[in-house]
Amino acid sequence: MPPKHRRYSLKTKEAKGILDRASEKTKFDLAKTLGTKIHVESVETDFGEIILINSRPLLVKIRDNIFPTLFFKEIFASAPKVVVDMGAVPHVCSGADVMAPGIVRFEGEFRKGNLVYVVDEKHGKPIAVGETVHDSDTANKMSKGVVVKNVHYVGDKIWGVMKDLADKVGEGRI
């Protein structure tokens, strides 16, 4: 039986604060991206909070860190991406950081500390969200070392809870 998670709606001021912090971290105006009718909820888990926006698990808040999930298609469409070869995929999907030798190319520019999506070269599907260790110019010249610190990946605890929430939404149980 899956663990129970406490789910509740956020007050307007608290929701705005989370969206503002997430906008700053992701470099996207989330209020503009998501429209004017936004209902924000929090799902408390053992590792942090999953922020639901209009019933979709779009953000994760762990202590003071906030980042987009792999389900946030609106950000994924225009966020910088790090494309990795298929040999790196199982490692990244097990929580490993993205190393320079496994990178095929970069799509978009980023600065040190920015969030990027990590995608596989074959399908272009997002497999992780990470924080860059270097800016794109430096990363382009690297042949070894960590380029992206993995913060959320397919198969992690966050993914499991989100998948369960998304399935419930799809089945009309939420």
Side-chain angles (χ1 to χ4, degrees):
M1 177 182 238
K4 290 277 186 185
H5 303 289
R6 182 171 173 249
R7 180 177 176 169
Y8 57 93
S9 294
L10 297 179
K11 294 179 178 164
T12 304
K13 187 175 182 177
E14 190 177 1
K16 182 180 177 343
I18 286 175
L19 291 175
D20 288 348
R21 284 188 34 229
S23 292
E24 184 180 316
K25 185 71 175 170
T26 61
K27 309 295 185 235
F28 287 91
D29 183 351
L30 296 182
K32 183 179 174 185
T33 302
L34 298 168
T36 55
K37 277 279 206 187
I38 300 173
H39 177 70
V40 182
E41 297 173 274
S42 176
V43 177
E44 290 180 353
T45 68
D46 59 344
F47 54 79
E49 296 175 65
I50 294 179
I51 306 300
L52 304 176
I53 301 174
N54 299 335
S55 296
R56 294 173 50 217
L58 301 183
L59 299 169
V60 175
K61 183 178 173 221
I62 300 175
R63 291 178 291 286
D64 291 333
N65 296 326
I66 192 161
F67 51 89
T69 68
L70 294 167
F71 284 81
F72 207 148
K73 293 178 179 137
E74 293 86 352
I75 287 183
F76 175 73
S78 50
K81 295 170 190 65
V82 175
V83 181
V84 296
D85 63 36
M86 296 309 288
V89 170
H91 301 287
V92 173
C93 291
S94 294
D97 293 335
V98 180
M99 308 297 282
I103 297 173
V104 175
R105 69 180 177 281
F106 299 104
E107 295 178 0
E109 293 188 15
F110 50 84
R111 296 249 178 259
K112 179 180 179 178
N114 285 165
L115 293 173
V116 295
Y117 280 91
V118 179
V119 301
D120 70 83
E121 71 176 328
K122 188 173 184 181
H123 305 288
K125 300 268 186 194
I127 59 171
V129 175
E131 187 172 336
T132 58
V133 178
H134 306 280
D135 62 30
S136 52
D137 291 338
T138 302
N140 247 328
K141 298 171 189 165
M142 292 176 62
S143 60
K144 62 182 180 177
V146 176
V147 176
V148 178
K149 289 189 59 74
N150 196 338
V151 296
H152 163 48
Y153 53 91
V154 171
D156 66 5
K157 285 182 178 182
I158 299 166
W159 175 262
V161 173
M162 288 185 329
K163 194 88 168 108
D164 184 50
L165 291 170
D167 289 346
K168 287 178 183 175
V169 168
E171 295 169 6
R173 293 190 293 163
I174 296 181

